[in-house]
Amino acid sequence: PTPFPTLLPTPFPTPFPTLFPTPFPTNEKSRIENLLTSVALLEGEEFKNPDSYQSKALAWLEADLSSDAGSFTDDEITQRYAVACIWFATNGVSNFYASDEEIENGWGNNDNWMSSLTECTWYGITCDDSNRVNATDLRQNRVTGTFPNEVVLLAESLVYLDLGNNNIHNRNEQTDFLGELKNLEYLDIGETYFEYPGIPPALGYLTNLQVLDVSYTYFYGPIRGPEVFANLQKLRIIEMGGNEYNQEIPSEIARLPELTNFYCDNAALTGTLDFIELMPVIFELWIDINPDMSGSIPTSIGTKFRTLESLSLTENNLTGRIPTEMGNLRYMQALWLYDNDLTGTIPSSLDQLEYMYEFDVSGNQLQGIIPNGICSLTGIDGMLDYVCVDCEEVRCCCCSCCSTSTCRN
């Protein structure tokens, strides 16, 4: 044997290991989480709460795309996340107004939602030719909770949003997201619990809007004509009844150049009907159940508004006579003036309204006789199918009913 070992033993252990151990486990974020953190409205803080609807949407999305996330673009992942947030924020989620049935059973129709199919096939979601969400229609679908701000991630393509007739509750600053949906042409949040002190200023940013329904929400306060409606020059249809504004119709609404349909019933309106003179192309005008609205029907209504075909001014506090000039409204189809304090007689000029099918002036202080020419519009040769006056004060041989109480029943 060799007198010495061929390898000398190490005199003492090396002071440091050759490889450093990892001081703590790595927690590297996935591509999806990194992406969504970069676009998150709260800069990722929303993902720190595992019970938030945003965290649930993120967890679902990572599981859903676990095998092929690489085949999706950043925009596609962001869109799918935004739509998933709608589900987790409003399906079976409680709020003060949601019923037990809605919380227990969730949405009325949830076809394809949260499936692996493209979100463009999910109920209420419509996409354009580039598969970008351009419409969300969840009307009357038992949607509850609070509608999520993440819908603004769809703002570039979204032109249609209908949330009407649902027990959604968005209050004060929770309505601000609406102002970021600047490409919207159609917005319906009527018969929901969107709540704000008056019409939300955020709506004034929706300059492409053509149809707006905010009726029967909790918008109690100023209409904000200069701040909101002065900017919405493309509006064609406005429904804003069922709230409490306690003011007159602002000129900014009346002057809208394309406004054809305006509905504002039961809204605590004040003032007079003088705003009608400013409406350039009005087609259908319903201003009902506003007992603090007074004054007379403007005579100009029959000289300036040849486009008017449907007029309802019921249950207000209107006085004076029915203008003779209304006989010039040749295309009028429905005329409701019941339950006011109108006086005088029914103008014979109304017999020129040959397309009229409903005429109700009951519940006023009218006298005399209904003109024969109006009665001639009924029967086989005419279109007038419904006539109602107070027959004790106004003699009528062609009336369908003879008082407000019987006509309403």
Side-chain angles (χ1 to χ4, degrees):
T2 56
F4 301 102
T6 55
L7 293 176
L8 295 172
T10 303
F12 46 80
T14 55
F16 301 104
T18 54
L19 294 176
F20 291 94
T22 304
F24 45 81
T26 58
N27 188 23
E28 185 177 348
K29 292 181 180 179
S30 67
R31 173 203 167 201
I32 292 177
E33 186 173 356
N34 278 322
L35 168 62
L36 296 183
T37 299
S38 70
V39 300
L41 304 185
L42 300 179
E43 300 180 343
E45 289 295 313
E46 56 266 61
F47 301 132
K48 293 182 178 179
N49 176 4
D51 294 324
S52 70
Y53 69 81
Q54 298 98 330
S55 288
K56 294 176 181 179
L58 170 60
W60 172 82
L61 191 60
E62 291 203 306
D64 179 58
L65 302 182
S66 59
S67 60
D68 61 347
S71 63
F72 287 81
T73 67
D74 288 355
D75 287 345
E76 289 171 336
I77 292 172
T78 300
Q79 172 172 283
R80 198 162 174 83
Y81 165 72
V83 178
C85 281
I86 296 174
W87 170 268
F88 286 109
T90 67
N91 178 54
V93 178
S94 64
N95 62 31
F96 184 78
Y97 302 100
S99 68
D100 292 340
E101 178 186 1
E102 289 174 321
I103 296 171
E104 180 179 354
N105 297 326
W107 288 5
N109 190 329
N110 61 7
D111 288 354
N112 291 338
W113 274 81
M114 314 317 290
S115 72
S116 59
L117 297 173
T118 169
E119 60 273 16
C120 297
T121 67
W122 297 358
Y123 172 78
I125 299 295
T126 304
C127 295
D128 60 22
D129 293 339
S130 300
N131 289 322
R132 300 186 308 166
V133 173
N134 63 3
T136 300
D137 185 353
L138 296 174
R139 181 174 186 80
Q140 199 172 349
N141 198 43
R142 296 206 305 258
V143 178
T144 58
T146 297
F147 200 76
N149 292 350
E150 280 71 16
V151 72
V152 304
L153 299 175
L154 309 175
E156 288 300 314
S157 58
L158 193 67
V159 297
Y160 186 105
L161 179 61
D162 190 344
L163 305 176
N165 203 2
N166 285 297
N167 288 334
I168 312 169
H169 186 207
N170 285 57
R171 186 170 185 265
N172 295 338
E173 68 276 1
Q174 292 173 336
T175 68
D176 289 348
F177 75 91
L178 292 171
E180 298 186 46
L181 304 177
K182 295 184 180 181
N183 289 317
L184 276 187
E185 298 175 6
Y186 184 106
L187 175 61
D188 186 346
I189 54 173
E191 297 182 80
T192 67
Y193 292 98
F194 273 72
E195 182 178 352
Y196 199 87
I199 299 297
L203 296 182
Y205 295 104
L206 305 182
T207 55
N208 290 302
L209 208 59
Q210 298 179 31
V211 178
L212 174 64
D213 188 344
V214 294
S215 62
Y216 290 85
T217 54
Y218 274 9
F219 292 162
Y220 293 171
I223 296 176
R224 295 189 172 89
E227 191 175 357
V228 175
F229 289 97
N231 303 321
L232 308 184
Q233 295 295 299
K234 296 181 181 180
L235 273 176
R236 296 184 293 105
I237 299 173
I238 300 176
E239 294 193 40
M240 55 185 295
N243 299 310
E244 288 188 16
Y245 304 118
N246 294 300
Q247 71 169 90
E248 60 187 15
I249 297 295
S251 62
E252 289 81 7
I253 288 180
R255 294 181 188 276
L256 289 171
E258 300 183 32
L259 185 64
T260 58
N261 297 63
F262 183 54
Y263 311 98
C264 197
D265 64 294
N266 195 23
L269 294 177
T270 62
T272 69
L273 294 175
D274 290 346
F275 69 90
I276 296 178
E277 298 182 1
L278 305 175
M279 304 182 111
V281 292
I282 194 67
F283 170 85
E284 186 162 68
L285 177 64
W286 293 1
I287 307 291
D288 305 288
I289 320 176
N290 290 289
D292 291 328
M293 177 167 279
S294 58
S296 60
I297 301 173
T299 58
S300 60
I301 198 170
T303 57
K304 294 180 61 176
F305 303 102
R306 303 300 173 88
T307 58
L308 192 59
E309 296 189 15
S310 175
L311 178 64
S312 186
L313 303 174
T314 69
E315 298 183 62
N316 298 312
N317 193 26
L318 303 180
T319 56
R321 305 173 69 89
I322 299 175
T324 301
E325 291 82 358
M326 293 187 76
N328 296 324
L329 299 172
R330 297 298 178 85
Y331 299 103
M332 180 64 68
Q333 298 182 31
L335 180 58
W336 299 285
L337 303 175
Y338 62 80
D339 287 351
N340 283 288
D341 287 310
L342 300 174
T343 55
T345 60
I346 298 173
S348 60
S349 61
L350 298 187
D351 65 5
Q352 300 178 71
L353 308 183
E354 57 183 322
Y355 298 107
M356 186 163 62
Y357 62 85
E358 288 202 23
F359 178 66
D360 190 340
V361 293
S362 61
N364 284 289
Q365 307 300 319
L366 300 171
Q367 297 179 339
I369 184 172
I370 192 164
N372 290 332
I374 293 180
C375 285
S376 70
L377 300 176
T378 63
I380 297 176
D381 296 329
M383 298 184 64
L384 188 56
D385 186 56
Y386 176 88
V387 180
C388 186
V389 302
D390 297 309
C391 297
E392 292 186 5
E393 289 79 26
V394 179
R395 285 185 293 151
C396 182
C397 63
C398 61
C399 282
S400 309
C401 51
C402 284
S403 68
T404 298
S405 58
T406 56
C407 289
R408 300 294 80 72
N409 294 327

